[in-house]
Amino acid sequence: VYKLRKARNKSIVKKGNLEDLEFENPYYKARIGGDGLFKSIIEKGSQKELLNINAYRGGEIRGRIRDKQVSTRDGGKVTKIEEGEIGKLIEIKGSLENIKYKERIILYDDLPIIDVNVEFSFEGDEVGLLWNDESKLNIYWPTQGGKISYDIPFGIEQGQEERPLFVTSWLDISTDECGLSYINKGTPKHWVRNGVMANVIGWGGNKFTNRYHLMWLKYTQYDLKLYGSHVVSYSLYPHKNDCSQAKVVNIAQNLSFPLLAFSENGHNGSLKREESFFKLSPDSLVTTSIQSLGGKVNCRVYNVGEKTSPKVKGAELIRICDLSGRQIDEIGKFQIANLVIR
């Protein structure tokens, strides 16, 4: 149960063309330029710099438009900074040639998460080439390099540079000391080069057909240019240790399933700080669905760690079954299982 209230203090709002901004919370320290791009993120647990901005800035968007490489580094300006009780909201406006965009960055005082959303306004624009991901609109986050990990349905894979990565929800580059996770909200195609994470967010044009390359101009062309308003959202998770110890799987799942709010009347009694129907451990067990089953609850999970026996607090674990219905005692790595709970 959560309570909503008005802020005790009014937000402080700054407008105009604003200079570099520094932000610090218990988890990281960030520096953002006047163009809205990140110049630095220091993970405070390890005191390590997460970004390498030699070739790219953090959050930079690039694409090829009219045979010209364009970037938000050249066309964006921070126009508003709003500071309130939960953190800072930064608004950026700019354009990539004729494509206008508005970006919002939310930095939280008490959370290790950075939320970003970018709204594009397209008017029949052409961006990139069908066969070249680097020419399309990409969001770039340049890291210091490390082990590449990403999630797939019911599991985790180790990625390679220069290879397409079809990421269900999160991509992480980390060392044993620290790392950076990029959590997409519906844009699953990624690639990595020299430690730089790239997320393909869009392309469009009319040079597309089901015919072979170099012959398509003789056949019907399809209008796949970009139209209308589109919002791309993602989150960042700067963290200490590698992605396993940082519980990236759990963080990404929580961000992928935000709270569903219902209005309720006031309560006369006192409420606990937290109340759960049941708690499942260890953290390597990821819940994918919960359904009622004849007075019991069927909880489907998969395991991203080593073989383990699940434990349930606050309810009774009746049995564990694999997908064939066979009863088991332990859940193996990347195995899917059903827990029947009462």
Side-chain angles (χ1 to χ4, degrees):
V1 177
Y2 294 81
K3 180 181 179 181
L4 296 178
R5 61 168 174 79
K6 292 183 177 180
R8 294 188 181 94
N9 302 309
K10 289 185 177 180
S11 298
I12 300 172
V13 179
K14 300 177 183 178
K15 294 184 179 181
N17 291 331
L18 303 170
E19 300 301 322
D20 285 14
L21 164 73
E22 291 193 350
F23 177 86
E24 185 173 359
N25 67 15
Y27 307 98
Y28 64 83
K29 182 177 180 180
R31 185 160 56 91
I32 302 173
D35 51 11
L37 302 177
F38 282 72
K39 296 181 175 180
S40 171
I41 299 178
I42 295 174
E43 195 282 311
K44 294 180 70 174
S46 62
Q47 290 298 312
K48 296 288 186 180
E49 173 62 62
L50 299 180
L51 302 185
N52 178 356
I53 61 169
N54 288 337
Y56 298 87
R57 298 288 189 266
E60 183 174 351
I61 301 173
R62 293 187 187 182
R64 192 164 186 82
I65 302 174
R66 299 194 189 96
D67 296 322
K68 176 184 176 183
Q69 190 75 11
V70 298
S71 167
T72 52
R73 195 191 299 197
D74 306 316
K77 291 289 183 184
V78 174
T79 57
K80 178 182 175 182
I81 300 174
E82 184 172 347
E83 184 175 353
E85 286 191 48
I86 65 170
K88 282 188 171 67
L89 168 65
I90 303 167
E91 293 189 356
I92 303 104
K93 292 183 180 179
S95 62
L96 296 165
E97 292 292 294
N98 293 333
I99 301 171
K100 294 181 180 179
Y101 69 90
K102 299 177 184 177
E103 184 171 358
R104 289 161 55 93
I105 301 171
I106 305 174
L107 308 166
Y108 300 97
D109 289 335
D110 298 312
L111 293 175
I113 302 299
I114 300 169
D115 283 330
V116 182
N117 64 69
V118 189
E119 181 179 357
F120 296 94
S121 297
F122 298 111
E123 297 180 354
D125 296 288
E126 297 186 52
V127 181
L129 302 169
L130 166 66
W131 58 88
N132 186 341
D133 282 347
E134 191 171 3
S135 70
K136 302 171 185 176
L137 284 181
N138 284 267
I139 298 174
Y140 293 93
W141 281 93
T143 75
Q144 299 285 353
K147 184 171 71 175
I148 303 169
S149 306
Y150 65 100
D151 71 330
I152 59 173
F154 304 105
I156 298 173
E157 278 286 351
Q158 301 304 312
Q160 298 181 38
E161 293 205 356
E162 304 283 356
R163 299 292 298 168
L165 305 173
F166 292 95
V167 176
T168 303
S169 60
W170 61 267
L171 169 65
D172 180 88
I173 299 181
S174 58
T175 64
D176 291 338
E177 294 182 287
C178 59
L180 182 66
S181 299
Y182 180 98
I183 302 163
N184 77 74
K185 308 292 176 63
T187 50
K189 193 171 186 182
H190 300 65
W191 51 279
V192 177
R193 180 185 298 153
N194 298 326
V196 179
M197 292 191 282
N199 180 202
V200 181
I201 59 171
W203 75 275
N206 59 7
K207 293 182 179 179
F208 178 84
T209 179
N210 57 356
R211 303 291 178 176
Y212 287 115
H213 179 48
L214 300 181
M215 294 184 64
W216 57 11
L217 295 178
K218 300 178 182 179
Y219 298 94
T220 302
Q221 302 295 302
Y222 302 105
D223 184 0
L224 296 180
K225 294 191 289 288
L226 299 171
Y227 296 91
S229 177
H230 297 266
V231 178
V232 175
S233 300
Y234 65 93
S235 298
L236 295 170
Y237 173 36
H239 59 80
K240 187 180 178 181
N241 302 321
D242 63 15
C243 71
S244 177
Q245 293 186 64
K247 300 181 180 179
V248 173
V249 173
N250 309 95
I251 295 290
Q253 186 185 45
N254 291 339
L255 291 172
S256 298
F257 298 96
L259 292 171
L260 184 61
F262 296 91
S263 229
E264 293 290 343
N265 295 325
H267 190 281
N268 293 326
S270 61
L271 294 173
K272 298 178 182 178
R273 180 173 179 82
E274 180 181 301
E275 185 68 76
S276 299
F277 169 52
F278 68 86
K279 285 191 174 183
L280 178 65
S281 62
D283 288 331
S284 62
L285 295 176
V286 182
T287 303
T288 61
S289 69
I290 298 175
Q291 62 181 140
S292 178
L293 185 69
K296 303 179 182 67
V297 171
N298 186 60
C299 177
R300 176 162 289 183
V301 301
Y302 68 95
N303 181 22
V304 297
E306 300 303 319
K307 182 182 287 188
T308 187
S309 297
K311 294 178 175 58
V312 175
K313 183 179 179 181
E316 178 188 359
L317 176 58
I318 300 173
R319 63 180 177 273
I320 312 166
C321 299
D322 63 17
L323 291 184
S324 71
R326 180 175 61 91
Q327 190 162 337
I328 56 177
D329 296 321
E330 295 179 309
I331 304 174
K333 189 171 185 177
F334 300 145
Q335 184 177 10
I336 306 169
N338 292 317
L339 311 182
V340 180
I341 298 170
R342 180 171 55 200

